[in-house]
Each structure stands twice: as structure tokens, then as C-alpha cells.
Coordinates of all heavy atoms in Angstrom, one line a residue:
M30 N 30.8 -7.4 -40.5 CA 29.5 -6.9 -40.2 C 29.4 -6.9 -38.6 O 29.6 -7.8 -38.0 CB 28.4 -7.7 -40.8 CG 27.0 -7.2 -40.6 SD 25.8 -8.1 -41.5 CE 24.9 -6.8 -42.2
Q31 N 29.0 -5.7 -38.1 CA 28.8 -5.6 -36.7 C 27.5 -6.2 -36.2 O 26.5 -6.1 -36.9 CB 28.8 -4.1 -36.2 CG 30.2 -3.5 -36.2 CD 30.1 -2.1 -35.6 OE1 29.1 -1.4 -35.9 NE2 31.1 -1.7 -34.9
A32 N 27.5 -6.8 -35.0 CA 26.3 -7.3 -34.5 C 25.5 -6.2 -33.9 O 26.0 -5.2 -33.4 CB 26.6 -8.3 -33.3
S33 N 24.2 -6.2 -34.1 CA 23.4 -5.1 -33.6 C 23.3 -5.2 -32.1 O 23.2 -6.3 -31.5 CB 22.0 -5.2 -34.2 OG 21.3 -6.4 -33.9
R34 N 23.4 -4.0 -31.5 CA 23.3 -4.0 -30.0 C 21.8 -3.7 -29.7 O 21.1 -3.0 -30.4 CB 24.1 -2.8 -29.5 CG 25.6 -3.1 -29.7 CD 26.4 -2.0 -29.1 NE 26.4 -0.9 -30.0 CZ 27.1 0.2 -29.8 NH1 27.8 0.4 -28.7 NH2 27.1 1.1 -30.7
P35 N 21.4 -4.2 -28.5 CA 20.0 -4.0 -28.1 C 19.8 -2.5 -27.8 O 20.8 -1.8 -27.3 CB 19.9 -4.8 -26.8 CG 21.3 -5.1 -26.3 CD 22.1 -5.0 -27.6
T36 N 18.7 -2.0 -28.0 CA 18.4 -0.6 -27.8 C 18.1 -0.4 -26.3 O 17.3 -1.1 -25.7 CB 17.1 -0.2 -28.6 OG1 17.4 -0.4 -29.9 CG2 16.8 1.3 -28.3
L37 N 18.9 0.5 -25.7 CA 18.7 0.7 -24.2 C 17.7 1.8 -24.0 O 17.2 1.9 -22.9 CB 20.0 1.0 -23.6 CG 21.1 -0.1 -23.7 CD1 22.4 0.4 -23.1 CD2 20.6 -1.4 -23.1
W38 N 17.5 2.7 -24.9 CA 16.7 3.9 -24.7 C 15.6 3.8 -25.8 O 15.8 3.5 -26.9 CB 17.4 5.2 -24.9 CG 18.4 5.4 -23.8 CD1 19.8 5.0 -23.9 CD2 18.2 6.0 -22.5 NE1 20.4 5.3 -22.7 CE2 19.5 5.9 -21.9 CE3 17.1 6.5 -21.9 CZ2 19.6 6.4 -20.6 CZ3 17.3 7.0 -20.6 CH2 18.5 7.0 -20.0
R39 N 14.4 4.2 -25.3 CA 13.3 4.3 -26.3 C 12.9 5.8 -26.4 O 13.0 6.5 -25.5 CB 12.0 3.6 -25.8 CG 12.2 2.1 -25.8 CD 10.9 1.4 -25.4 NE 10.5 1.9 -24.1 CZ 9.2 1.9 -23.7 NH1 8.2 1.6 -24.4 NH2 9.0 2.3 -22.4
R40 N 12.5 6.1 -27.6 CA 12.1 7.5 -27.8 C 10.8 7.7 -27.2 O 9.9 6.9 -27.3 CB 12.0 7.8 -29.3 CG 11.5 9.2 -29.6 CD 11.6 9.4 -31.1 NE 13.0 9.5 -31.5 CZ 13.5 10.5 -32.1 NH1 12.8 11.5 -32.5 NH2 14.8 10.5 -32.4
A41 N 10.7 8.8 -26.4 CA 9.4 9.1 -25.7 C 8.8 10.3 -26.3 O 9.5 11.2 -26.8 CB 9.7 9.2 -24.2
R42 N 7.5 10.5 -26.1 CA 6.9 11.7 -26.5 C 7.2 12.8 -25.5 O 7.2 12.5 -24.3 CB 5.5 11.5 -26.8 CG 4.7 11.2 -25.6 CD 3.3 10.8 -26.0 NE 2.7 10.2 -24.8 CZ 1.7 10.7 -24.1 NH1 1.0 11.6 -24.7 NH2 1.3 10.1 -23.0
V43 N 7.5 13.9 -25.9 CA 7.8 15.0 -25.0 C 6.6 16.0 -25.2 O 6.3 16.4 -26.3 CB 9.1 15.7 -25.4 CG1 9.4 16.9 -24.5 CG2 10.3 14.7 -25.3
G44 N 6.1 16.4 -24.1 CA 4.9 17.3 -24.1 C 5.1 18.4 -23.1 O 5.8 18.3 -22.2
I45 N 4.3 19.4 -23.3 CA 4.2 20.5 -22.4 C 2.8 20.5 -21.8 O 1.8 20.4 -22.5 CB 4.4 21.8 -23.1 CG1 5.8 21.9 -23.7 CG2 4.2 23.0 -22.2 CD1 6.1 23.1 -24.6
V46 N 2.8 20.5 -20.5 CA 1.5 20.5 -19.8 C 0.8 21.9 -20.1 O 1.4 22.9 -19.9 CB 1.7 20.3 -18.3 CG1 0.4 20.4 -17.6 CG2 2.4 19.0 -18.0
A47 N -0.4 21.8 -20.6 CA -1.0 23.0 -21.1 C -2.3 23.3 -20.4 O -3.1 24.0 -20.9 CB -1.2 22.9 -22.6
T48 N -2.5 22.9 -19.2 CA -3.7 23.3 -18.4 C -3.6 24.7 -18.2 O -4.6 25.4 -18.3 CB -3.7 22.5 -17.1 OG1 -3.9 21.2 -17.3 CG2 -4.9 23.0 -16.3
C49 N -2.5 25.2 -17.8 CA -2.3 26.6 -17.5 C -1.6 27.3 -18.7 O -0.8 26.7 -19.4 CB -1.4 26.8 -16.3 SG -2.1 25.9 -14.9
T50 N -1.9 28.5 -18.9 CA -1.3 29.2 -20.0 C -0.3 30.2 -19.5 O -0.3 30.5 -18.3 CB -2.4 30.0 -20.8 OG1 -3.1 30.9 -19.9 CG2 -3.4 29.1 -21.4
C51 N 0.5 30.7 -20.3 CA 1.6 31.7 -19.9 C 1.2 33.1 -20.4 O 0.8 33.2 -21.5 CB 2.9 31.3 -20.4 SG 3.6 29.8 -19.6
I52 N 1.5 34.0 -19.5 CA 1.4 35.4 -19.9 C 2.6 35.8 -20.7 O 3.7 35.5 -20.3 CB 1.2 36.4 -18.7 CG1 0.0 36.0 -17.9 CG2 1.2 37.8 -19.1 CD1 0.0 36.7 -16.6
P53 N 2.5 36.3 -21.9 CA 3.7 36.6 -22.7 C 4.7 37.5 -22.0 O 4.3 38.4 -21.2 CB 3.1 37.4 -23.9 CG 1.7 36.9 -24.0 CD 1.3 36.7 -22.6
L54 N 5.9 37.2 -22.1 CA 7.1 37.9 -21.5 C 7.2 37.7 -20.0 O 8.2 38.2 -19.5 CB 7.0 39.5 -21.8 CG 6.9 39.8 -23.3 CD1 6.7 41.3 -23.4 CD2 8.1 39.4 -24.0
T55 N 6.3 37.1 -19.4 CA 6.5 36.8 -17.9 C 6.7 35.4 -17.6 O 7.2 35.0 -16.6 CB 5.4 37.4 -17.1 OG1 4.2 36.7 -17.5 CG2 5.2 38.9 -17.3
A56 N 6.2 34.5 -18.4 CA 6.2 33.0 -18.2 C 5.6 32.6 -16.9 O 5.9 31.6 -16.3 CB 7.7 32.5 -18.3
K57 N 4.6 33.4 -16.5 CA 3.8 33.0 -15.3 C 2.7 32.1 -15.7 O 1.9 32.4 -16.6 CB 3.2 34.2 -14.6 CG 4.3 35.2 -14.2 CD 4.7 34.9 -12.8 CE 5.7 36.0 -12.3 NZ 6.3 35.6 -11.1
A58 N 2.5 30.9 -15.1 CA 1.4 30.0 -15.4 C 0.2 30.6 -14.7 O 0.2 30.9 -13.5 CB 1.8 28.6 -14.8
V59 N -0.9 30.7 -15.5 CA -2.1 31.2 -15.0 C -3.3 30.3 -15.4 O -3.1 29.5 -16.4 CB -2.4 32.6 -15.5 CG1 -1.4 33.6 -14.9 CG2 -2.4 32.7 -17.0
A60 N -4.4 30.3 -14.7 CA -5.6 29.6 -15.1 C -6.8 30.4 -14.7 O -6.7 31.2 -13.8 CB -5.5 28.2 -14.3
P61 N -7.9 30.0 -15.3 CA -9.1 30.7 -14.9 C -9.6 30.2 -13.5 O -9.6 29.0 -13.2 CB -10.1 30.4 -16.0 CG -9.6 29.1 -16.6 CD -8.2 29.2 -16.4
S62 N -10.1 31.1 -12.7 CA -10.7 30.7 -11.4 C -12.1 30.2 -11.6 O -12.6 30.2 -12.7 CB -10.7 31.9 -10.4 OG -11.6 32.9 -10.8
Q63 N -12.7 29.8 -10.5 CA -14.1 29.3 -10.7 C -15.0 30.5 -11.2 O -16.0 30.2 -11.8 CB -14.6 28.8 -9.3 CG -13.9 27.5 -8.9 CD -14.4 27.0 -7.6 OE1 -14.8 27.8 -6.7 NE2 -14.3 25.7 -7.4
E64 N -14.7 31.7 -10.9 CA -15.5 32.8 -11.3 C -15.0 33.4 -12.6 O -15.5 34.4 -13.1 CB -15.4 33.9 -10.2 CG -15.9 33.5 -8.9 CD -17.1 34.3 -8.4 OE1 -17.3 35.4 -8.9 OE2 -17.8 33.8 -7.5
G65 N -14.0 32.7 -13.2 CA -13.5 33.2 -14.5 C -12.3 34.2 -14.5 O -11.9 34.6 -15.5
R66 N -11.9 34.6 -13.3 CA -10.8 35.5 -13.2 C -9.5 34.8 -13.5 O -9.4 33.6 -13.2 CB -10.7 36.1 -11.8 CG -11.8 37.1 -11.6 CD -11.8 37.7 -10.2 NE -12.2 36.6 -9.3 CZ -11.7 36.4 -8.1 NH1 -10.8 37.2 -7.6 NH2 -12.1 35.4 -7.3
I67 N -8.5 35.4 -14.0 CA -7.1 34.8 -14.2 C -6.3 34.9 -12.9 O -6.1 36.0 -12.4 CB -6.4 35.6 -15.4 CG1 -7.2 35.5 -16.7 CG2 -5.0 35.0 -15.6 CD1 -7.5 34.1 -17.2
V68 N -5.9 33.7 -12.5 CA -5.2 33.6 -11.2 C -4.0 32.7 -11.4 O -3.9 32.0 -12.4 CB -6.1 33.0 -10.1 CG1 -7.3 33.9 -9.8 CG2 -6.6 31.6 -10.5
P69 N -3.0 32.7 -10.5 CA -1.8 31.8 -10.7 C -2.3 30.4 -10.7 O -3.2 30.0 -10.0 CB -1.0 32.1 -9.4 CG -1.4 33.5 -9.0 CD -2.8 33.6 -9.4
C70 N -1.7 29.6 -11.6 CA -2.1 28.2 -11.8 C -1.7 27.4 -10.6 O -0.6 27.3 -10.2 CB -1.5 27.6 -13.0 SG -2.0 26.0 -13.4
P71 N -2.7 26.6 -10.0 CA -2.3 25.7 -8.9 C -1.5 24.6 -9.3 O -1.7 24.0 -10.4 CB -3.7 25.2 -8.4 CG -4.7 26.1 -9.0 CD -4.1 26.7 -10.2
L72 N -0.5 24.2 -8.5 CA 0.4 23.1 -8.9 C -0.3 21.8 -9.2 O 0.0 21.1 -10.1 CB 1.4 22.9 -7.8 CG 2.5 21.8 -8.0 CD1 3.3 22.1 -9.2 CD2 3.4 21.7 -6.8
F73 N -1.4 21.6 -8.4 CA -2.2 20.4 -8.6 C -2.7 20.2 -10.0 O -2.7 19.1 -10.6 CB -3.4 20.4 -7.6 CG -4.2 19.1 -7.6 CD1 -3.8 18.0 -6.9 CD2 -5.3 19.0 -8.4 CE1 -4.5 16.8 -6.9 CE2 -6.0 17.9 -8.4 CZ -5.6 16.7 -7.7
L74 N -3.2 21.4 -10.6 CA -3.7 21.3 -12.0 C -2.6 20.9 -13.0 O -2.9 20.1 -13.9 CB -4.3 22.6 -12.4 CG -5.6 23.0 -11.8 CD1 -6.1 24.4 -12.3 CD2 -6.7 21.9 -12.1
S75 N -1.4 21.4 -12.8 CA -0.4 21.0 -13.7 C 0.0 19.5 -13.6 O 0.1 18.8 -14.6 CB 0.9 21.8 -13.5 OG 0.6 23.2 -13.7
V76 N 0.1 19.0 -12.4 CA 0.4 17.6 -12.2 C -0.7 16.7 -12.6 O -0.5 15.7 -13.2 CB 0.8 17.4 -10.7 CG1 1.1 15.9 -10.5 CG2 2.0 18.2 -10.3
Q77 N -1.9 17.1 -12.4 CA -3.1 16.3 -12.8 C -3.2 16.2 -14.3 O -3.5 15.2 -14.9 CB -4.4 17.0 -12.3 CG -5.6 16.1 -12.5 CD -6.8 16.7 -11.9 OE1 -7.0 17.9 -11.8 NE2 -7.7 15.9 -11.3
T78 N -2.9 17.3 -15.0 CA -2.8 17.3 -16.5 C -1.8 16.3 -17.0 O -2.0 15.6 -17.9 CB -2.6 18.7 -17.0 OG1 -3.7 19.5 -16.6 CG2 -2.6 18.7 -18.6
A79 N -0.6 16.4 -16.4 CA 0.5 15.5 -16.8 C 0.1 14.0 -16.6 O 0.3 13.2 -17.4 CB 1.8 15.8 -16.0
A80 N -0.6 13.7 -15.5 CA -1.0 12.4 -15.2 C -2.1 11.9 -16.2 O -2.1 10.8 -16.7 CB -1.6 12.3 -13.8
T81 N -3.0 12.8 -16.5 CA -4.0 12.5 -17.5 C -3.4 12.2 -18.9 O -3.9 11.4 -19.6 CB -5.0 13.7 -17.6 OG1 -5.6 14.0 -16.3 CG2 -6.1 13.4 -18.6
R82 N -2.4 12.9 -19.2 CA -1.7 12.7 -20.5 C -0.7 11.5 -20.5 O 0.0 11.3 -21.4 CB -1.0 14.0 -20.9 CG -2.0 15.0 -21.2 CD -1.3 16.3 -21.7 NE -2.3 17.3 -22.0 CZ -2.0 18.4 -22.6 NH1 -0.8 18.7 -22.9 NH2 -3.0 19.3 -22.8
A83 N -0.6 10.8 -19.3 CA 0.2 9.6 -19.2 C 1.7 10.0 -19.3 O 2.5 9.2 -19.8 CB -0.2 8.5 -20.1
L84 N 2.1 11.2 -18.9 CA 3.5 11.5 -18.8 C 4.2 10.7 -17.7 O 3.6 10.5 -16.7 CB 3.7 13.0 -18.6 CG 3.2 13.9 -19.7 CD1 3.5 15.4 -19.4 CD2 3.8 13.5 -21.1
V85 N 5.4 10.3 -17.9 CA 6.1 9.5 -17.0 C 6.7 10.4 -15.9 O 6.8 10.0 -14.7 CB 7.2 8.7 -17.7 CG1 8.1 7.9 -16.7 CG2 6.6 7.8 -18.7
F86 N 7.2 11.6 -16.2 CA 7.8 12.5 -15.3 C 7.6 13.9 -15.7 O 7.4 14.2 -16.9 CB 9.3 12.2 -15.0 CG 10.1 12.5 -16.2 CD1 10.7 13.8 -16.4 CD2 10.4 11.6 -17.2 CE1 11.4 14.1 -17.5 CE2 11.2 11.8 -18.3 CZ 11.7 13.1 -18.4
I87 N 7.6 14.8 -14.8 CA 7.6 16.3 -15.1 C 8.5 16.9 -14.1 O 8.7 16.5 -13.0 CB 6.2 16.9 -15.0 CG1 5.6 16.8 -13.6 CG2 5.3 16.3 -16.1 CD1 4.3 17.6 -13.5
A88 N 9.1 18.0 -14.6 CA 10.0 18.8 -13.7 C 9.3 20.2 -13.5 O 8.9 20.8 -14.5 CB 11.4 19.0 -14.4
I89 N 9.2 20.6 -12.3 CA 8.6 21.8 -11.9 C 9.7 22.8 -11.5 O 10.4 22.4 -10.5 CB 7.6 21.7 -10.8 CG1 6.5 20.6 -11.1 CG2 6.9 23.0 -10.4 CD1 5.6 20.9 -12.2
T90 N 9.9 23.9 -12.1 CA 11.0 24.8 -11.8 C 10.4 26.2 -11.4 O 9.4 26.6 -12.0 CB 12.0 24.9 -12.9 OG1 11.3 25.4 -14.1 CG2 12.6 23.6 -13.3
D91 N 11.1 26.8 -10.5 CA 10.8 28.2 -10.2 C 12.2 28.8 -9.8 O 12.7 28.4 -8.7 CB 9.8 28.3 -9.1 CG 9.4 29.8 -8.8 OD1 10.1 30.7 -9.3 OD2 8.5 30.0 -8.0
P92 N 12.7 29.7 -10.6 CA 14.1 30.2 -10.3 C 14.1 31.1 -9.1 O 15.2 31.3 -8.6 CB 14.4 30.9 -11.6 CG 13.1 31.3 -12.2 CD 12.2 30.2 -11.8
N93 N 13.0 31.5 -8.6 CA 13.0 32.5 -7.5 C 12.7 31.9 -6.1 O 12.8 32.6 -5.1 CB 12.0 33.6 -7.8 CG 12.4 34.4 -9.1 OD1 13.6 34.6 -9.3 ND2 11.5 34.7 -9.9
A94 N 12.2 30.7 -6.1 CA 11.8 30.1 -4.8 C 11.8 28.6 -4.8 O 11.7 28.0 -5.9 CB 10.4 30.6 -4.5
D95 N 12.0 28.0 -3.7 CA 12.0 26.6 -3.6 C 10.8 26.1 -2.7 O 10.7 25.0 -2.3 CB 13.3 26.0 -3.0 CG 13.5 26.5 -1.6 OD1 12.8 27.3 -1.1 OD2 14.5 26.0 -1.0
S96 N 9.8 27.0 -2.5 CA 8.6 26.7 -1.7 C 7.8 25.6 -2.3 O 7.0 24.9 -1.6 CB 7.8 27.9 -1.5 OG 7.4 28.5 -2.7
K97 N 7.9 25.4 -3.6 CA 7.1 24.4 -4.3 C 7.5 23.0 -3.9 O 6.8 22.0 -4.1 CB 7.2 24.5 -5.8 CG 8.6 24.2 -6.3 CD 8.8 24.4 -7.7 CE 10.3 24.3 -8.0 NZ 11.3 24.6 -7.0
N98 N 8.7 22.8 -3.4 CA 9.3 21.5 -3.1 C 8.4 20.7 -2.1 O 8.2 19.5 -2.2 CB 10.7 21.6 -2.7 CG 11.6 22.0 -3.8 OD1 11.3 22.1 -4.9 ND2 12.9 22.4 -3.4
D99 N 7.9 21.5 -1.1 CA 7.1 20.8 -0.1 C 5.8 20.4 -0.7 O 5.3 19.3 -0.4 CB 6.8 21.8 1.1 CG 8.0 22.1 1.9 OD1 8.9 21.2 1.9 OD2 8.1 23.1 2.6
A100 N 5.2 21.2 -1.6 CA 4.0 20.8 -2.3 C 4.2 19.6 -3.1 O 3.3 18.7 -3.2 CB 3.5 22.0 -3.1
L101 N 5.3 19.5 -3.8 CA 5.6 18.3 -4.6 C 5.7 17.1 -3.8 O 5.3 16.0 -4.2 CB 6.9 18.5 -5.4 CG 6.9 19.5 -6.6 CD1 8.3 19.7 -7.2 CD2 5.9 19.0 -7.7
G102 N 6.3 17.2 -2.6 CA 6.4 16.1 -1.7 C 5.0 15.6 -1.2 O 4.8 14.4 -1.0
E103 N 4.1 16.5 -1.1 CA 2.7 16.1 -0.7 C 2.0 15.5 -1.9 O 1.2 14.6 -1.7 CB 1.9 17.4 -0.2 CG 2.4 17.9 1.1 CD 1.7 19.2 1.5 OE1 0.7 19.5 0.8 OE2 2.1 19.9 2.4
L104 N 2.2 15.9 -3.1 CA 1.5 15.4 -4.3 C 2.1 14.1 -4.7 O 1.3 13.3 -5.3 CB 1.6 16.4 -5.4 CG 0.8 17.7 -5.2 CD1 1.1 18.7 -6.4 CD2 -0.7 17.5 -5.1
Q105 N 3.4 13.8 -4.5 CA 4.0 12.6 -5.1 C 3.3 11.3 -4.7 O 3.0 10.5 -5.5 CB 5.5 12.5 -4.7 CG 6.2 11.4 -5.4 CD 6.2 11.5 -6.9 OE1 7.0 12.2 -7.4 NE2 5.3 10.8 -7.6
P106 N 2.9 11.1 -3.4 CA 2.2 9.8 -3.1 C 0.9 9.7 -3.8 O 0.5 8.5 -4.2 CB 1.9 9.9 -1.6 CG 3.0 10.9 -1.1 CD 3.2 11.9 -2.2
Y107 N 0.1 10.8 -4.1 CA -1.1 10.7 -4.8 C -0.9 10.4 -6.3 O -1.6 9.5 -6.9 CB -1.9 12.0 -4.6 CG -3.2 12.0 -5.3 CD1 -4.3 11.3 -4.8 CD2 -3.4 12.7 -6.5 CE1 -5.6 11.3 -5.4 CE2 -4.7 12.6 -7.2 CZ -5.7 12.0 -6.6 OH -6.9 12.0 -7.2
F108 N 0.1 11.0 -6.9 CA 0.4 10.8 -8.3 C 1.6 9.8 -8.4 O 2.7 10.2 -8.8 CB 0.7 12.2 -9.0 CG -0.4 13.1 -9.1 CD1 -0.6 14.1 -8.2 CD2 -1.4 12.9 -10.0 CE1 -1.6 15.0 -8.3 CE2 -2.5 13.8 -10.1 CZ -2.6 14.8 -9.3
D109 N 1.3 8.6 -8.1 CA 2.4 7.6 -8.0 C 2.8 7.0 -9.4 O 3.7 6.3 -9.4 CB 2.0 6.5 -7.0 CG 0.7 5.8 -7.3 OD1 0.0 6.2 -8.3 OD2 0.3 4.9 -6.6
R110 N 2.2 7.4 -10.4 CA 2.6 7.0 -11.8 C 3.4 8.1 -12.5 O 3.9 7.9 -13.6 CB 1.4 6.6 -12.6 CG 0.7 5.4 -12.1 CD -0.4 5.0 -13.0 NE -1.0 3.8 -12.5 CZ -2.1 3.2 -13.0 NH1 -2.7 3.8 -14.1 NH2 -2.6 2.1 -12.5
V111 N 3.5 9.3 -11.9 CA 4.2 10.4 -12.5 C 5.4 10.7 -11.5 O 5.1 11.0 -10.3 CB 3.3 11.6 -12.7 CG1 4.1 12.8 -13.3 CG2 2.2 11.3 -13.6
L112 N 6.6 10.8 -12.0 CA 7.7 11.2 -11.1 C 7.7 12.7 -11.1 O 7.8 13.3 -12.2 CB 9.0 10.6 -11.6 CG 10.3 11.1 -10.9 CD1 10.3 10.7 -9.5 CD2 11.5 10.5 -11.6
L113 N 7.7 13.3 -10.0 CA 7.7 14.8 -9.9 C 9.1 15.2 -9.5 O 9.6 14.8 -8.4 CB 6.7 15.3 -8.8 CG 5.3 14.8 -8.9 CD1 4.4 15.3 -7.8 CD2 4.7 15.2 -10.3
I114 N 9.7 16.0 -10.4 CA 11.1 16.4 -10.2 C 11.2 17.9 -9.8 O 10.8 18.7 -10.7 CB 12.0 16.1 -11.4 CG1 11.8 14.6 -11.8 CG2 13.4 16.5 -11.3 CD1 12.4 14.3 -13.2
P115 N 11.6 18.2 -8.6 CA 11.8 19.6 -8.3 C 13.0 20.2 -9.1 O 14.0 19.5 -9.2 CB 12.0 19.7 -6.8 CG 12.5 18.3 -6.5 CD 12.0 17.3 -7.5
G116 N 12.9 21.4 -9.5 CA 14.0 22.0 -10.3 C 14.5 23.2 -9.7 O 14.0 23.8 -8.8

């Protein structure tokens, strides 16, 4: 009989941040503005939703630009319980 090994990994819940919705076929994150217009979703809202849902980390990807990396660097100190991974 084999000795049981300690579990090194725990199953975590995997979620999708849903503050912003996606336009079908474009995968652009959008959110309502203060006046109710549909505008591009601010990065802060996505990260804030992840923190509210107690996610440990989130990866933010944009295949066309790396301009979000500076914004992630600014947000990381504020959201110190969520690891922000640029993709």
C-alpha cells in the first residue's frame, strides 16, 4: 500500500470578472457610463470586481497593445490582495 502524499495544490474557483460585458464577435469589454452610454470598460472596474470577489489573481490581456501594463503597475499597490498579471 502506498503512503498518501500531501496535497500540494488546492482546487480554486475559477471565475470571469463580469463587471464589463462583451460585444458579441468583438470581445471588447464595455460598461455603461454615468449617463448610461456604452463605453470601453475602465481597467479599474475589472480589477475592483476581481478584488470584491476575492480572486487571488487575474490576467489582463490585449493582443494589440501593451499600454495597459503601465496602468497595471499603478493599480497593483492599491489592490495588494490581487496579483495583476499582464498578458
Side-chain angles (χ1 to χ4, degrees):
M30 183 176 226
Q31 282 186 326
S33 63
R34 291 184 279 183
T36 303
L37 300 177
W38 293 92
R39 288 186 302 151
R40 180 173 289 235
R42 62 189 171 123
V43 176
I45 297 173
V46 177
T48 293
C49 304
T50 58
C51 288
I52 299 171
L54 303 177
T55 63
K57 299 269 184 191
V59 295
S62 70
Q63 292 177 333
E64 302 240 343
R66 290 177 289 145
I67 299 300
V68 298
C70 185
L72 180 60
F73 184 84
L74 286 181
S75 296
V76 177
Q77 185 175 38
T78 301
T81 301
R82 294 182 180 188
L84 297 180
V85 177
F86 67 90
I87 60 171
I89 306 291
T90 60
D91 183 351
N93 299 321
D95 63 356
S96 56
K97 69 184 173 326
N98 293 347
D99 291 337
L101 287 174
E103 292 177 11
L104 292 174
Q105 186 63 80
Y107 181 77
F108 293 102
D109 53 1
R110 292 185 180 173
V111 179
L112 175 61
L113 305 179
I114 304 170

